[in-house]
Amino acid sequence: MEILAKFAEGFIALFEVGAETFVGILVGVVPIMLVLMTAFNIIIRLIGPEKIDNLSKKAGGSGIINYPLRYMILPTLSVFFLGNPMALGTGKFLPEKYKPAFNDTIATMVHPPLGLFPHVNPGEFFVWGGIAAGVTALGLPLGGLAIRYLLVGMLIALIRGIVSEWISGIMFARREKVENL
């Protein structure tokens, strides 16, 4: 009987720790996210959504010079200003052949900016929150980690965009070949 009682106490203690963590996030992070979301919506309105749309039109150009714009800068700015999932809409001006790769880069970029900008994907803040809790428990600062997380995310988005564009090109060519038979 005593073993069951100890198990029950440990089981409840687990949920108590979870509740404490939840309250800490609710009191500390949620207000920051709400203020950031409001501020960035104001910035978007001041800059004008048409300027973001014009950037995506420029990113649709062909050539290797447009890779960083299309798969690194545009996804980062889209996620930063529009958040997830609205950032996907930025690719609407890209030619069809670039859309699968652009969507892949958006999917890549919804987590890396969380350390600096929690508003980009508040529904999945737990990813960064878990990492931050571990790093904080070790007594290490979060600023450098957040910046490195963002920069590595941008590089991975560029690589994935290029690879996805290549794979999409093969798939589009196969589809065209089948349709012409």
Side-chain angles (χ1 to χ4, degrees), residues 2-178:
E2 193 173 314
I3 294 172
L4 285 175
K6 292 236 184 241
F7 175 76
E9 288 174 8
F11 187 73
I12 292 299
L14 177 69
F15 287 95
E16 288 172 347
V17 170
E20 288 174 19
T21 303
F22 175 73
V23 169
I25 290 172
L26 189 64
V27 172
V29 174
V30 171
I32 292 170
M33 286 191 318
L34 290 173
V35 170
L36 279 170
M37 288 172 67
T38 303
F40 287 112
N41 281 328
I42 291 169
I43 291 170
I44 289 169
R45 294 196 187 223
L46 290 173
I47 291 174
E50 66 281 347
K51 290 187 179 165
I52 295 170
D53 289 341
N54 287 339
L55 181 63
S56 65
K57 287 179 187 176
K58 289 177 185 171
S62 61
I64 196 167
I65 193 122
N66 287 315
Y67 282 165
L69 179 60
R70 184 168 47 246
Y71 300 130
M72 206 162 85
I73 296 168
L74 183 60
T76 303
L77 291 175
S78 297
V79 167
F80 178 77
F81 283 110
L82 302 174
N84 183 29
M86 293 181 297
L88 289 167
T90 308
K92 67 184 174 184
F93 294 111
L94 293 174
E96 286 299 314
K97 64 182 181 178
Y98 300 139
K99 287 181 181 180
F102 181 77
N103 284 349
D104 189 15
T105 60
I106 291 292
T108 303
M109 283 307 300
V110 293
H111 290 290
L114 282 173
L116 297 171
F117 311 108
H119 73 283
V120 300
N121 197 6
E124 295 192 29
F125 187 75
F126 66 89
V127 173
W128 172 256
I131 294 167
V135 170
T136 304
L138 293 172
L140 299 171
L142 291 176
L145 176 64
I147 291 169
R148 286 190 295 278
Y149 192 38
L150 174 63
L151 294 175
V152 169
M154 291 173 70
L155 179 62
I156 296 299
L158 175 64
I159 293 167
R160 284 182 62 160
I162 293 168
V163 170
S164 294
E165 182 180 315
W166 177 71
I167 292 169
S168 297
I170 292 169
M171 299 304 289
F172 286 141
R174 285 183 185 171
R175 183 176 66 187
E176 188 176 312
K177 186 177 179 181
V178 169

